[in-house]
Amino acid sequence: MKFLTTNFIQCAVKGCQSSDSSFPLKYEECELVAETQEFKPEFLVHMLEKINWSALVQVARDLGNDNLPTEKPELDPIMEDDVLILKDLHNLLVETNILNGKMICNNCGHIYFIKNSIPNFLLPPHLCN
Amino acid sequence: MKDYLIYFAQAYPNFRRAELESLAHYHGINIDLSHHSETSPFLIVQLENDEQARKIMERSVLSRGIYELWGQGNTLEELHQSVKDNDNGKFELYNKSSFKFDFIGYMGRRNNKQKFEMIESFQFLAFEGPIRMKNPDEVYTILEEYEVMDREKATTPIKMWFGREIQLSARCNNVLDKYDLKSRKYIGTTSFDAELALVTCNIAEVGPKKIVYDPFTGTGSFLVAASNYGGLTIGSDIDVRILRGKGDVNIKSNFKQYGTTTEFLDILTMDFTNNAFRQDFFIDTIVCDPPYGVREGLKVCGAKNEEKAAGRENVVINGEKAHLRRDFIQPKKPYELSNLLDDLLKFSASRLPVNGRLAFWMPTANDDFEINQIPQHENLELLYNLEQEFNKWSRRLLVYVKRDEDYKGVTKNGLKENNIKNFRDRYFRGFSEKSK
Ligand SMILES: C[S@@+](CC[C@H](N)C(=O)[O-])C[C@H]1O[C@@H](n2cnc3c(N)ncnc32)[C@H](O)[C@@H]1O
Ligand SMILES: [Zn+2]
C-alpha cells in the first residue's frame, strides 16, 4: 500500500464513519519499502490539492517522519526549489510502500492489517453494518 | 461548421453512438448524432474544425476513422462532380503537400488495377506534392459502400465518399491487440474483455487526472483499461487472493506490462458494503462489473448464522481477541444482487461530483426482463442502457450521471419490488420456465 493511500482511508465500521477520529488511522509496526517510480511533478501537484494535509502529517509522524511542514505547501513545478520539495513528496507519497503493518481506528480501536502490501478492511461479523 | 465523415467498426453498433457522444461531451464538443443508424457504418457529422474531429476520434474503440468530407455520390461521376463543386479553395490549400490515396470498402472491394484507375480519375485535383506511401502529409481516402445481393459479391458500389483523413481511432492504432486478454499476463475467469472494458471507460468519461474507482476489481480489467486513457485508478475487492495474484504476476504487473504504472494508485481488500474510503475522498468516475454469482460468489462480510456466531467477538486466542489477530479470517455471508446495486447507486450518488459518471454491467434474463428492473436513484440520471445480447440472457452497460440538487429523479429498484430471483440460479438452470 502506498503512503498516499493512507490519506484516502478510514475505519470501515459504520458507527465510525461520522467520527472525526476514524481518519486517519493510526499506523503501527509498519515495515516500509521504497519502490522506484517515475517522478511526475504534475501528478503530485494535482494530488496535493486533494490531500488532507494534517492527516498526512500525522501518518508521517506515525511512521517516524517528522519533517513535513505543518501547513500544506503551495508548489509550482516550474520553480526549481519547489521541484526539490516535490521530489521529496514523490519519494514519500508514491515511492514509499507499507509492506506489512497495523492500522488502528482511534475511535473504536479496531485493528486492520496490511499484508504483502495489501491492506485488509474486511470486518468481523459483529462490526458489520 | 464543416462536414466530416465517420467510418465505424463492425462491432457493437448499439454502443457506438454512446461512445462518440461521450467522447465529444468529455472534450466539450457539441455534436448531433441523432441521425446515426446502427445499420450503416458511415455517418456524416458537422464539426467546427479538424481539431474537434481529432479529439472525438482519437480514443474511440468502436469507430475506425474520421475524414474531412470532400464529396459524395452514388457513382464515380457523381463523386467527381461533388468534389469539384465543394472545392472552395481546398485543392489549392493542399497543393504542395505530400500525399497518398487509401481505399475503404464496406461489403466489397476493388482490385489493384481498379484502384489505380480510380486514383488516375482524380487527376483534376492537380496535386503537385510528392506521393509518399510512408507518413505522407495527407491521406485521401475513397470510401465505398457495396450492397450484397443474395450471396453474390457486388462489383459496383452503391455509395461513395471522398475524404481527407483527419484521425484514425484507437482501434485502428491497435489498442485491442495491446489489451487483448490473450497476451495479458495476469487474468482470471472474471477478466473482462478488453474491447468492452475500453468502451466502458470511454462512455464513463475516464481521463487524465480523473480518479477512477472499481469497487469489484477482480483481476483489474477496468483499471488497466482506464489507465490507458490516463485515469488514476484505485480498486477494491472482497477477495484478497484475486488481488494478490501469483508471485510476480498480479494486477500491478499488468500495469507494468502496459507501461501505465503511474496511473496505478492502489488496490485494497474491502467489502464494498463496508467501505473504508473516507467520506470526502474524491472519486471522479466509477466503473465496474459487479458480482452476480456466476463465476464468483456474491458475498459480504458477516456471519451466515448470526445466532451461532453470537459472542464470538469475545473469543481470545493466546491472550488476544481472535478477531484482532493478523491471521483472522473474516466470515462471509451471501447477499442479494438487488441490494448490492442499491448500495452501488447510493454510494455513487453520495461520492461522485456533479457530472461524474457511474458505469456498470448488469446481467438480465431475457425472458423476464422489464425496463423497471434497472435500478434508479433520485440523484443519478440514467444516460445509457446498452444491451449485449447472448442466447438467453443479456448484460447491459448502465451509465448514470450524478446531477445537482435541481435534478429530481426517483429512487426505485424493480429487481427488489418484483422479487426477481437470483440471476445465478437461473443461469445454471438454463433460464428454464421453472427457474423463474
Ligand atoms: C464479476 S467480478 C469482476 C471482475 C473484474 N472486472 C475483473 O477484471 O476480473 C466481481 C468481483 O466482485 C468481487 N466481490 C464479490 N462480492 C464483493 C463485495 N461484497 N465487495 C467487494 N467485492 C466483491 C468478487 O471477488 C469478484 O472479483
Ligand atoms: Zn472504528
Side-chain angles (χ1 to χ4, degrees), chain A residues 122, chain B residues 184 187-192 213-223 236-240 242 270-274 288-293 295-301 335 340:
Chain A
L122 303 184
Chain B
R184 186 175 303 172
I187 57 166
T189 53
T190 60
S191 296
F192 205 92
Y213 174 40
D214 179 351
F216 311 105
T217 297
T219 57
S221 314
F222 288 102
L223 299 187
S236 63
D237 198 288
I238 198 169
D239 183 356
V240 66
I242 202 165
M270 193 152 90
D271 167 8
F272 178 65
T273 67
N274 288 288
C288 60
D289 183 23
Y292 42 90
R295 294 204 169 72
E296 73 301 289
L298 200 192
K299 298 248 164 74
V300 295
C301 286
Y335 197 59
L340 188 72

Side-chain angles (χ1 to χ4, degrees), chain B residues 103-121:
Chain B
F103 288 83
I104 287 172
Y106 174 63
M107 306 289 263
R109 56 154 82 197
R110 294 182 183 272
N111 62 33
N112 283 341
K113 183 167 165 279
Q114 289 169 322
K115 285 182 185 170
F116 188 73
E117 286 166 8
M118 281 272 267
I119 296 174
E120 292 285 291
S121 79

Side-chain angles (χ1 to χ4, degrees), chain A residues 79-129:
Chain A
M79 310 294 286
E80 233 170 88
D81 287 353
D82 286 6
V83 169
L84 289 180
I85 304 177
L86 283 168
K87 280 208 171 122
D88 280 347
L89 283 173
H90 169 73
N91 183 264
L92 178 69
L93 295 176
V94 182
E95 298 193 313
T96 305
N97 265 269
I98 308 177
L99 196 57
N100 291 293
K102 281 183 179 177
M103 305 175 279
I104 302 157
C105 173
N106 289 312
N107 191 50
C108 72
H110 187 63
I111 305 173
Y112 301 93
F113 289 89
I114 302 165
K115 294 191 214 175
N116 300 313
S117 206
I118 303 180
N120 178 0
F121 286 99
L122 303 184
L123 293 175
H126 70 284
L127 294 181
C128 291
N129 288 311

Side-chain angles (χ1 to χ4, degrees), chain B residues 167-184:
Chain B
Q167 177 73 50
L168 296 180
S169 69
R171 185 191 201 90
C172 283
N173 288 314
N174 291 327
V175 76
L176 298 186
D177 281 346
K178 179 171 179 191
Y179 286 95
D180 192 344
L181 293 183
K182 285 196 209 87
S183 51
R184 186 175 303 172

